[in-house]
Amino acid sequence: MRVLMIAPPGAGKGTQSALIAAHFGIPHIATGELLRDHVARRTDLGLAVQEYLDRGELVPDQVVLDMVREALVAAKAAGGGYVLDGIPRNMRQARAAYLVGRELGMTADVALHLDADDAEVTRRLLARAALEHRSDDTAEVIAQRLALYHEVTSPIICWYRDRGILVSVDAMRPAQQVGREILTALEAMRPLLDQGPGQARHPGDLATLGEAFGASG
Ligand code: AMP
């Protein structure tokens, strides 16, 4: 199972990615976590990206693309499945991730879109700020991250819809309920995905399934 997540900050991307990874026994590749780990360890990369994270801006594409290529190579050796959480954030990253996936023979099966409105995700992020003290969970930086999401990330949703791999889930509900719906949808797709490499899937199969499970459009 190869899944990539698209969601505004605070929609539950990290929580649901971890659930999917545990359920299918596949690696969870979270670019934000990888970057925060570099910052915490004060590596050269961490020092170079810290300001972007603190301001809620995107780090340069090539930095995350290099990290993700390395993680995908490791995921391939571990069986080929993955949950990509945090990338792509813009159209250039979407195309680049697709090309890396093609090169490694592991393009995404599903683009999972968690749909939640700004007021709800802001409320959740401010609640998280009280517990986790992330440098980017202040009201001002949250607003910046959301603006960026609407401007450069959400337009790529159409691209996945056109490719027939988009599944959209209403993430306004409690995490457990959202998680159950996601696993049901992914389990329903599994028989199609497990077909051998010689049996090419028709993208329409997934599009239809996506619609059955609430994909918009
Ligand atoms: P996240 O944990 O996904 O909310 O990401 C936290 C921060 O890490 C973002 O606000 C960006 O500064 C940076 N980041 C994570 N993923 C990416 C990416 N794919 N491209 C650029 N910056 C990223």
Side-chain angles (χ1 to χ4, degrees), residues 13 31-32 35-36 57-59 64 86-87 89 93 134:
K13 203 159 40 79
T31 51
L35 292 167
R36 278 189 291 279
E57 289 168 7
L58 296 182
V59 310
V64 276
I87 185 170
R89 288 293 232 274
Q93 291 184 8
R134 256 175 66 165

Side-chain angles (χ1 to χ4, degrees), residues 1-3 20 24 26 80-83 109-110 185-187 189-190 193-194:
M1 177 64 66
R2 295 189 290 269
V3 183
I20 297 166
F24 290 101
I26 51 179
Y82 59 77
V83 186
D109 300 310
V110 180
L186 295 181
E187 278 295 350
M189 291 175 171
R190 207 207 290 237
L193 307 179
D194 284 346

Side-chain angles (χ1 to χ4, degrees), residues 14 19-20 32 38 40 56 69 101 104-106 117 126 155 184 189 207 212 216:
L19 176 77
I20 297 166
H38 275 281
R69 168 184 285 275
L104 297 173
M106 50 196 299
D117 69 30
L126 290 173
T184 305
M189 291 175 171
S216 43

Side-chain angles (χ1 to χ4, degrees), residues 9 33 36 125 128-129 132-138 145:
E33 286 295 331
R36 278 189 291 279
L125 289 170
R128 180 173 81 181
E132 290 185 17
H133 309 293
R134 256 175 66 165
S135 64
D136 56 354
D137 279 347
T138 63
R145 287 157 65 205

